[in-house]
Amino acid sequence: MSIASNNNPSVSSQRFWRVLIYTTLIVMAVFYLLPLFIMLLTSVKTLDEIRDGNLLTLPVQWTLEPWKKAWGTACVGLTCEGINGYFWNSIKMVVPSVAISTILGAINGYILTKWRFPGHRWVFALMLFGCFIPFQIVLLPMSQVLGFLGIAGSTAGLVLVHVTYGIGFSTLFFRNYYEAFPTELVNAAKIDGAGFFRIFWRILLPSSAPIIVVTVIWQFTNIWNDFLFGASFAAGEHAPMTVALNNLVNSTTGVKEYNVDMAAAIIAAAPTLLVYIVAGRYFVRGLMAGSVKG
Amino acid sequence: MASIDIVNVHKSYGSAHVLKGIDIQVDDGDFLVLVGPSGCGKSTLLNMIAGLEEISDGDIRIGDESMKDKRPSERDIAMVFQSYALYPNMTVAKNISFGLEMRNFSKAEIKERTESVSKMLQIEQLLARKPGQLSGGQRQRVAMGRALVREPKVFLFDEPLSNLDAKLRVDMRTEIKKLHQRLGATIVYVTHDQIEAMTLATKIAIMKAGELQQLGTPDQLYNQPSNLFVAGFMGSPSMNILPATIAEQGGKLFAKLSQKNTDDLLLPLPEQTGYRSYINKGVLLGIRPEAITDPESADKDSEHLYIADCIVNVTEPTGADLFAITELGGREVIARMRANTPLKSGETGPFAFNMNKAVLFDPSSEARID
Ligand SMILES: Nc1ncnc2c1ncn2[C@@H]1O[C@H](COP(=O)(O)OP(=O)(O)OP(=O)(O)O)[C@@H](O)[C@H]1O
Ligand SMILES: [Mg+2]
């Protein structure tokens, strides 16, 4: 029986394709991981080894000095206190920006689908439009607004900028998700006596995990990786990680410390990687299964 | 408990005029069924009673109180939705008690009411489950429990049984009827199943394209349909509608029907004042299948029983009955005979017409002639 099925041409051709597909995937994965691998290798080599050796050789003498230097003592611009301060700047900027834009996006999506008002289409269209305004166009008006509000050059100012920019996308995500959310559930809750926020909190939010994860990942990576707004509105000691990384790489006079640069770059990229690894697992579907038929 | 007055209610969505002046009165303890074909505005009207849709014009009063500016939660109603609309993230117990919790009932009271309702509906063993882990019938019960636990003045049902299989539907139908008898509550119930309407209702409102066609007891709708639409909608198989002319012979009125290959059939008509003005004019004769029978099972008390020989086109045994199909006035006519009636396709046989049960319609206005 098993011999017969092994000789079956369709089974063996199936196996052939499977091998081919996996080989291709592995080759691609290695190819895409190569830069990260080289960055990691370079960051644990001494400068001498980097100069003498090949990019892909393993270090003879492993060292964590470049990491310590990047974190604590490397010179960014004129100060030589490493990038840790800027890393925290970015955290202080990203966490409130992501939280506020996600919450506002969720409430917007909720209103635009379940508490419609005349002209709701227009409001949504304008918000969508806001997603596609190029960054450069808003730089000048935005800096004027920040100056007027007295938060120019501060983390608070950056949070405002990112929330403003982020609402368009987070509203889009939540609106489309809640559009498919059964309105009968909302109606049932209305009759049960729940009000605007209680319906949101008790009925919609518990079923929103997938879209929250999507929005958080999207906003987190965009805001963390932003360079233009950071460079424009938060120079100096309030600069976010991305700006500081640029300054670090550019401000080393004399020898270029590739290992320190690489370590700093990995630190700068780490949070977004972490978010993908941790939150990506929660992309689950079918949370709504069984609530409503048809 | 409460009566419901629907007074000249209109509903428009933009330029679409969906309800065109509906007037319905429901007494305390009535079971009103709204029936009609898909898209006629049944759900819209129910949602307006619930407060989920705004009233464009007119008024809806529950227990003499205008509902115009009342939110759904202030109307003392409960609703069972077609999709059941159970909260997916909550257990069955939470689903049932959510409305009480929102109304700040005490923990003890919530527990007591949840328990008594779940005992009544026999869903006690399901209380800890989520809706996703229930069968269709169980979900339906939970949805009913959620409505019952609040003990509201008015219950609203939007096609609560349409997602169940045929057997379960019949069982639940009986249970809803028992429930109504026990609670004595006022119920408004939407369906497009005319059998559900007939069996459950104390009053039926039949709608078409946003207009009320007839409001009355099941008996009135069935036996005195106000127009052709109502006549065709209620009953299965539906009423035979046959083109006829009214003839007068010896002071008596007859419906004259053409017959294939033989003489016209003259069926005696009961005396109705309205009929006289149609003498020698065309009308539509409506007669239900069960009013055309084999002579033995005919209603002997009927004063207008007429037995005629007709050609049987086809016979359709259903087990309980035998449907015999013949042709009159150029249309197929279904007669409902006893199961063992000795009729054969292609042969003639005696058909007994109980003309007391016949109704006439004006062919142009389609309204019943009295
Ligand atoms: N939000 C809306 N905007 C525009 N038209 C609507 C809206 N809701 C319902 N309608 C229209 O109103 C009419 C009545 O709809 P309704 O849902 O009340 O029908 P129904 O009698 O319940 O039908 P069914 O038996 O299919 O449930 C339909 O023609 C429908 O297209
Ligand atoms: Mg409907």
Side-chain angles (χ1 to χ4, degrees), chain A residues 199-215:
Chain A
I199 294 175
F200 180 58
W201 191 251
R202 299 282 303 270
I203 312 294
L204 273 86
L205 263 195
S207 300
S208 305
I211 199 63
I212 292 175
V213 170
V214 169
T215 313

Side-chain angles (χ1 to χ4, degrees), chain B residues 6-10 19-24 45 207 210-212:
Chain B
I6 299 168
V7 186
N8 194 25
V9 158
H10 288 259
L19 291 180
K20 303 161 187 167
I22 304 285
D23 283 289
I24 295 174
L45 184 58
M207 294 168 61
E211 281 173 295
L212 184 66

Side-chain angles (χ1 to χ4, degrees), chain B residues 173-213:
Chain B
R173 195 169 75 198
T174 318
E175 280 194 43
I176 291 178
K177 182 142 193 178
K178 280 191 206 152
L179 210 62
H180 174 244
Q181 281 164 357
R182 174 146 39 129
L183 300 175
T186 311
I187 295 180
V188 182
Y189 186 108
V190 166
T191 180
H192 50 231
D193 179 351
Q194 46 93 16
I195 298 184
E196 247 171 57
M198 288 297 293
T199 49
L200 288 172
T202 59
K203 248 185 189 177
I204 299 178
I206 180 161
M207 294 168 61
K208 179 187 154 197
E211 281 173 295
L212 184 66
Q213 301 293 309

Side-chain angles (χ1 to χ4, degrees), chain A residues 78-93:
Chain A
L78 296 175
T79 53
C80 291
E81 292 170 350
I83 55 166
N84 69 75
Y86 304 100
F87 186 86
W88 295 121
N89 280 351
S90 271
I91 298 274
K92 277 186 262 173
M93 165 189 79

